[in-house]
Amino acid sequence: MVFSWRESPGARRLLLSLLLLAAWEAGRGQVRYSVPEEAKHGTFVGRIAQDLGLELAELVPRLFRVASKGRADLLEVNLQNGILFVNARIDREELCGRSAECSLHLEVIVDRPLQVFHVEVEVKDINDNPPVFREREQKVLISESAPLDSHFPLEGASDADIGVNSLLAYRLSLNEHFALKMITKNDKSILPELVLRKSLDREETQELKLMLTATDEGKPELTGFVQIQITILDVNDNAPEFDQPVYKVALLENVENSTRVIQLNASDLDDGPNREISYGIRMTLPVSEKCMFSINPDTGVIRIYGMLDFEENNAYEIHVNAIDKGIPSMAGHSTVLVEVLDLNDNVPEVMITSLSLTVQEDAQLGTVISLISVSDRDSGTYGQVTCSLTPNVPFRLVSTFKNYYSLVLDSALDRESVSAYALVVTARDGGSPPLSASASVSVEVADVNDNAPAFAQPEYTVFVKENNAPGCHIFTVSARDADAQENALVSYSLVERRLGERAVSSYVSVHAESGKVYALQPLDHEELELLQFQVSARDAGFPPLGSNVTLQVFVLDENDNAPALLPPRAGGVGGALSELVPRSVGAGHVVAKVRAVDADSGYNAWLSYELQPAAGGARSPFRVGLYTGEVSTTRALDEADAPRQRLLVLVKDHGEPALTATATVLLSLVESGQALKASSRASAGVAGAEAALVDVNVYLIVAICAVSSLLVLTLLLYTALRCSAVPTEGACGPGKPTLVCSSAVGSWSYSQQRRQRVCSGEGPPKTDLMAFSPSLPQSQENCLNSSSEVSRSYYLNIFCLSKLARRL
C-alpha cells in the first residue's frame, strides 16, 4: 500500500497523530512501489519522503540516506524534492532470474533521532527477451523405415521472461512429411514434437531442412528460430538387381577346366554396407557329378570345373544371387543358361518323361507311370537302340512308337509290403561292342486307407480302487494302423452309451491322441462295481476306418465306510440298546445283541466287537462276542452288582486303517418276575431275527464252497488246455498276457443291507457278495501281467456268483 501525504501548513498540527502513525507504519516496511524493468534513467518511482512522513527540510540535516541489499546504485533519492527515481538500468532477469516475484528492498535511515524505514520496490517484467534455442541447428536422425505417426521430440526454446511473456507457441515451416505436435509437461511448459505424416524414402530424399519458430505471448510478440536438419538413415529396402534377368552362354562339351563362363554385374540403390554386394550360386540344375560351376563372390565371374558331357546334360541352368551386406540382407536373383554343344561320342540317350512317379497301391493294371524316349546320334546299326527294364518288378515297358516306350503297371501293388521301387531303364545301341546308357526311375507307392486300426486284444480288464482322484489315469489303449501318414494317424474316442440314467462319458474320458483313459470323478464301489464301455480307434484316412475295444473296469473296495449301528428292535432309549436282565441268570446267558453293518466289502466289512473297560477299573459281569455282538454274562449275578449297568461296545471293521463305531447298552438288573413279561414280548422278534441270520450264514457257506470249487475247476481246465498246446510253443507255456491294474483286497465277507449297482446297463441294484484275491500290490497305477484267460475267468466267475448270492 502506498501512502501519499500532501503538505499543508494549516493541517500539520491537526494531523500530527496521523503523521506519527504513518511514520510507525513506514518503519514496519509498509511502503511499496513498483517500477518496470528497463526503465530509463530518472524514471519516477515514488515520493518517498512524503510517503514516509518526513519534511523536505529535514532530509539533509537528519542525514537522510538509502541503503539497498545488493545493487544500491539502481535507485536514488533526490534530496531536494524527496522523489525516488531510477538511477541505473534494471534487468529483472539478471536481478531475480525466473522467480515469479522480484523486488528491491531499501532501508531508509535518518538520524537525530535515528529512524529506519523499509521500502520495497517491485520490479515488473516486460517482454524484453525473445525465445532462445540452445543451438542454432538441431539434428534429427530418422530411419526411412519409420512407421507413420512416429514421434520425434525436439528441444524447445527458453524465454527469460515470466508469466505471459514466457508462454511460447511453435510453428513449423511447410513440408509434406512432418507435422508439429505440442506436448504439455507437468510444469505447464510446452515441448514440440515432429510427427511423421508421410513415409520417407532415402533414395528420393536424403536430407530435409525445416525451420522451427517459437513465439512468445508478450506485447509486442518476440520470436526465435532454429533450423531442424533431418538426416534420413538408409534402410536396406532395395535388393541388388542384375543388369539382365537371364544370361545365355554356349560352351562346347570339351572345354578345358577352369574356363570362364561369364561375368555377372549387379547394382544396389542403397548406401554404405547396404549396397556392398556378394555374388553366389544358389543351385545348379541339373546336378552333375562330372562338372560344377563356381563364382567369385567379389567380381561375379563364373568358371567351370570338371568336364562337360552333352550326353549327360546338354544344358545347365545356374541360379545365381547377389546379396548385399545390409541387416537384414536382401538378395537379387538371375539365371544363367549354359548350352552345351554336342560332340560325336555316340552314346545313346535315355529321356524319361514322368506322368506320375507316385502310384496308388490300388491302381489298375496297365496304368501308365512314365513315358520313356531313347535316341542315338549315330546312324545305321549303331543308331538302333533297344530298351530293357530291371527284372522282377511289377512294371513293364510297352513300345508305343519307334524309340518311344511307356512304363506301365504289370501286377498288383501293396505298399505295406514294398513302399518304393527303384527302376533302371537301359538303352543299348547296335554297335559291337554295344554302347549303353541307363536311367533310374524311382516309383513310390502311395498309400490307400485299406487297413483299419487294430487293437492287440478285443477287450481289456482293468481294476481300479475306489475313491480315485478326479482325472486319474486308469488305462491306456493303443491301436496300430499298417497304413502311412494320415491313414495311419489314429485318434481315440469314447463310444457313448447310457448306463442307467447316466451317460458313460460322465464317468470316463479318452484322450484323442494318446489313448489314455481317465476317470472323470471318484468311483464308489458301493455304488458302482463294474463299468463296461467301448473305446473307438479311428484313422484319419478318407473314408476313415475304425475298430472298437471293450474295457471292463472293476471298482475295488476301500475301507471308506465306518460300521453303522442298526437301531434296537425294542427297549431302546435315545438310540441306546436297553434291556431288562433278571438277577437269577447264570454265566453265559445272552442278555442283549449289538447289531451293526458295514457298507464296504471283504475285510473292510468284517466286523468285530469289543467291550470297553468300565470307569474306575471295576470288572463287569458281562462280555461281548468278538464276531457275534452278543452281550452275555460272565458269571452269576448277585446283589452286589449295580442295578443299572451301562456298557460301551466298540464295533470295528478290519480295514486299513480300521474304522469304528460305539454302541451303548443299558442293562437294568431286575427280579425274575419283572423280567418275565418283557422277555415274552421280545422273544418272538429275537427268534425271527436269529433265524434270518442263520439262513444268511447258510447261503454264505454254500456260495463260498461254490466259488472255491469253480476256481479249482478253472485252474485245472486252464492247465490242461495249456499242456495240450502246439509243441513249438512249449509245454504249459504262459498264455497271452493282459494288462490289469492291481489293488489291495481282503478275504470273503458279507455285507448286510448293502445296495450296489453294477454298471452293465442292465437290471436294478441288488445286494452284493464279492470275493477278492489276497496280497496284491497297493498302488492303483502299478500294472501286472497275468494270464488273460485265468484272470478274466476268476474275476468274472466271482462276479457271477456275487449276483447269484444276491438273488439268494
Side-chain angles (χ1 to χ4, degrees):
M1 178 178 180
V2 179
F3 294 89
S4 178
W5 295 87
R6 299 178 59 187
E7 296 184 4
S8 177
R12 289 179 183 176
R13 293 179 181 178
L14 298 176
L15 301 177
L16 181 60
S17 60
L18 296 176
L19 180 61
L20 294 175
L21 178 61
W24 179 76
E25 290 292 340
R28 294 181 63 195
Q30 295 297 317
V31 178
R32 296 188 55 169
Y33 301 106
S34 65
V35 62
E37 65 171 331
E38 305 293 344
K40 295 182 180 179
H41 176 74
T43 299
F44 173 83
V45 178
R47 300 180 181 276
I48 189 171
Q50 179 179 341
D51 294 336
L52 294 178
L54 300 176
E55 298 290 341
L56 295 178
E58 298 176 353
L59 298 183
V60 175
R62 293 186 64 180
L63 300 178
F64 180 93
R65 59 189 182 276
V66 177
S68 173
K69 296 180 181 179
R71 299 288 301 275
D73 58 342
L74 296 179
L75 299 175
E76 189 60 61
V77 178
N78 189 335
L79 298 180
Q80 302 299 322
N81 54 21
I83 294 175
L84 180 68
F85 63 91
V86 176
N87 186 49
R89 175 178 175 268
I90 302 176
D91 187 352
R92 184 187 184 284
E93 288 71 37
E94 178 183 351
L95 187 64
C96 300
R98 296 192 58 82
S99 175
E101 296 182 0
C102 185
S103 299
L104 292 173
H105 299 279
L106 306 179
E107 286 186 353
V108 178
I109 305 172
V110 294
D111 294 331
R112 302 170 189 172
L114 178 63
Q115 286 182 291
V116 178
F117 302 93
H118 296 278
V119 178
E120 185 176 354
V121 180
E122 179 186 4
V123 181
K124 293 187 175 180
D125 182 55
I126 66 171
N127 192 25
D128 59 339
N129 292 281
V132 177
F133 290 92
R134 188 171 61 88
E135 297 179 351
R136 293 183 178 182
E137 183 179 74
Q138 293 187 24
K139 295 183 179 181
V140 181
L141 303 179
I142 302 178
S143 172
E144 65 175 325
S145 65
L148 295 179
D149 202 34
S150 297
H151 290 225
F152 304 94
L154 300 176
E155 183 178 348
S158 62
D159 195 312
D161 297 320
I162 64 171
V164 176
N165 297 329
S166 65
L167 298 178
L168 302 181
Y170 297 89
R171 67 177 181 273
L172 190 66
S173 58
L174 292 177
N175 68 96
E176 61 179 348
H177 291 283
F178 294 94
L180 194 64
K181 182 179 180 181
M182 304 303 174
I183 303 298
T184 302
K185 299 171 60 179
N186 294 334
D187 60 356
K188 306 302 181 182
S189 62
I190 296 177
L191 289 181
E193 281 188 350
L194 290 178
V195 181
L196 183 62
R197 296 303 186 194
K198 183 180 178 181
S199 299
L200 301 173
D201 188 355
R202 193 205 64 83
E203 286 69 39
E204 292 182 2
T205 304
Q206 299 183 3
E207 187 176 85
L208 290 173
K209 291 187 178 181
L210 307 177
M211 186 66 69
L212 179 64
T213 304
T215 305
D216 61 25
E217 296 186 9
K219 300 294 183 179
E221 295 181 348
L222 298 179
T223 59
F225 305 91
V226 67
Q227 180 172 280
I228 308 299
Q229 180 176 343
I230 301 174
T231 301
I232 301 174
L233 302 179
D234 183 49
V235 173
N236 193 24
D237 56 349
N238 291 280
E241 293 185 3
F242 286 92
D243 52 7
Q244 294 183 31
V246 179
Y247 298 87
K248 294 183 179 180
V249 181
L251 295 176
L252 292 173
E253 63 175 336
N254 62 349
V255 295
E256 296 181 357
N257 194 18
S258 189
T259 298
R260 173 175 169 171
V261 179
I262 194 174
Q263 180 171 1
L264 308 178
N265 182 48
S267 59
D268 195 311
L269 296 178
D270 292 320
D271 192 20
N274 296 334
R275 68 179 302 167
E276 297 179 9
I277 295 175
S278 175
Y279 298 92
I281 294 178
R282 188 159 51 93
M283 65 176 176
T284 302
L285 298 176
V287 178
S288 174
E289 297 180 355
K290 293 183 178 180
C291 68
M292 58 179 295
F293 299 89
S294 67
I295 189 170
N296 189 309
D298 298 323
T299 63
V301 174
I302 298 179
R303 296 183 181 274
I304 185 172
Y305 294 92
M307 180 175 58
L308 289 176
D309 187 353
F310 178 84
E311 285 70 31
E312 180 185 356
N313 293 305
N314 58 6
Y316 290 90
E317 185 175 324
I318 306 173
H319 296 267
V320 295
N321 53 24
I323 304 175
D324 60 30
K325 297 183 179 179
I327 300 177
S329 61
M330 300 189 71
H333 306 283
S334 183
T335 303
V336 179
L337 300 179
V338 179
E339 181 184 2
V340 182
L341 303 179
D342 183 43
L343 294 177
N344 189 21
D345 51 4
N346 304 316
V347 175
E349 293 182 352
V350 179
M351 299 182 64
I352 301 176
T353 303
S354 300
L355 293 180
S356 174
L357 290 185
T358 300
V359 59
Q360 297 284 341
E361 63 176 322
D362 61 349
Q364 297 181 356
L365 300 183
T367 300
V368 177
I369 307 301
S370 179
L371 299 179
I372 301 173
S373 64
V374 295
S375 63
D376 195 308
R377 294 187 178 275
D378 295 330
S379 60
T381 305
Y382 299 126
Q384 296 177 0
V385 180
T386 58
C387 282
S388 61
L389 187 64
T390 304
N392 302 323
V393 292
F395 306 95
R396 62 187 175 93
L397 290 176
V398 177
S399 178
T400 58
F401 191 67
K402 182 181 180 181
N403 292 339
Y404 287 89
Y405 299 87
S406 294
L407 179 64
V408 299
L409 182 63
D410 191 46
S411 60
L413 300 176
D414 184 7
R415 190 207 64 84
E416 285 71 38
S417 299
V418 180
S419 60
Y421 293 91
L423 308 180
V424 177
V425 179
T426 303
R428 289 182 174 83
D429 60 22
S432 181
L435 299 178
S436 63
S438 300
S440 297
V441 180
S442 179
V443 179
E444 293 185 1
V445 181
D447 183 52
V448 174
N449 192 25
D450 55 350
N451 292 279
F455 290 95
Q457 298 177 204
E459 65 179 36
Y460 294 92
T461 301
V462 182
F463 297 94
V464 180
K465 292 176 66 175
E466 66 173 331
N467 301 323
N468 56 282
C472 170
H473 171 226
I474 61 175
F475 195 66
T476 301
V477 295
S478 177
R480 298 179 61 86
D481 195 309
D483 295 319
Q485 297 179 351
E486 66 273 4
N487 295 332
L489 185 61
V490 180
S491 61
Y492 304 90
S493 63
L494 192 66
V495 179
E496 189 61 272
R497 58 174 295 196
R498 303 292 298 180
L499 300 177
E501 298 179 355
R502 299 177 60 179
V504 70
S505 58
S506 64
Y507 290 100
V508 293
S509 67
V510 180
H511 192 274
E513 296 179 2
S514 65
K516 291 184 176 181
V517 181
Y518 298 93
L520 298 180
Q521 60 185 1
L523 300 177
D524 187 357
H525 174 80
E526 287 70 43
E527 176 187 349
L528 179 69
E529 291 180 356
L530 173 62
L531 178 61
Q532 184 171 338
F533 57 92
Q534 286 188 327
V535 175
S536 174
R538 208 168 188 82
D539 59 30
F542 184 82
L545 301 178
S547 61
N548 296 343
V549 67
T550 301
L551 267 70
Q552 296 188 28
V553 179
F554 286 89
V555 182
L556 303 182
D557 183 54
E558 279 191 332
N559 192 27
D560 56 347
N561 291 280
L565 298 172
L566 296 179
R569 292 190 179 92
V573 178
L577 179 59
S578 178
E579 295 288 349
L580 298 178
V581 180
R583 289 184 177 271
S584 60
V585 297
H589 181 76
V590 177
V591 297
K593 181 178 178 63
V594 178
R595 297 181 303 130
V597 294
D598 195 309
D600 293 320
S601 301
Y603 276 122
N604 299 329
W606 186 15
L607 304 181
S608 60
Y609 302 83
E610 297 178 8
L611 185 62
Q612 298 297 300
R619 291 189 60 184
S620 173
F622 300 96
R623 65 178 181 85
V624 65
L626 179 61
Y627 298 112
T628 62
E630 295 178 344
V631 179
S632 60
T633 58
T634 60
R635 58 178 173 78
L637 301 178
D638 53 28
E639 294 299 329
D641 294 323
R644 288 186 175 273
Q645 299 282 337
R646 186 175 184 270
L647 307 180
L648 292 180
V649 179
L650 180 67
V651 185
K652 180 170 62 174
D653 60 26
H654 286 69
E656 289 293 339
L659 301 178
T660 62
T662 302
T664 302
V665 180
L666 301 176
L667 300 179
S668 299
L669 305 184
V670 297
E671 299 301 328
S672 300
Q674 298 177 359
L676 183 58
K677 294 182 180 180
S679 62
S680 61
R681 289 194 300 268
S683 60
V686 174
E690 292 179 351
L693 183 60
V694 169
D695 292 340
V696 170
N697 290 334
V698 171
Y699 293 146
L700 177 62
I701 294 172
V702 172
I704 291 174
C705 294
V707 171
S708 302
S709 301
L710 186 58
L711 176 60
V712 172
L713 181 59
T714 302
L715 292 174
L716 293 176
L717 181 59
Y718 173 74
T719 304
L721 291 175
R722 296 301 295 171
C723 291
S724 61
V726 180
T728 55
E729 298 186 3
C732 300
K736 186 176 182 181
T738 183
L739 192 64
V740 299
C741 290
S742 62
S743 173
V745 294
S747 299
W748 289 91
S749 177
Y750 176 74
S751 297
Q752 200 171 18
Q753 294 187 0
R754 196 182 73 199
R755 307 291 291 180
Q756 292 185 339
R757 186 166 52 199
V758 179
C759 283
S760 62
E762 301 176 359
K766 303 177 179 64
T767 55
D768 171 50
L769 177 66
M770 282 294 289
F772 297 89
S773 60
S775 303
L776 292 178
Q778 292 287 337
S779 174
Q780 115 176 2
E781 296 295 333
N782 296 334
C783 293
L784 57 89
N785 286 324
S786 64
S787 170
S788 173
E789 298 300 328
V790 173
S791 177
R792 284 180 49 78
S793 299
Y794 175 68
Y795 285 103
L796 292 179
N797 289 335
I798 290 176
F799 181 66
C800 293
L801 285 176
S802 172
K803 302 181 85 172
L804 176 61
R806 292 174 186 156
R807 292 185 175 88
L808 292 177

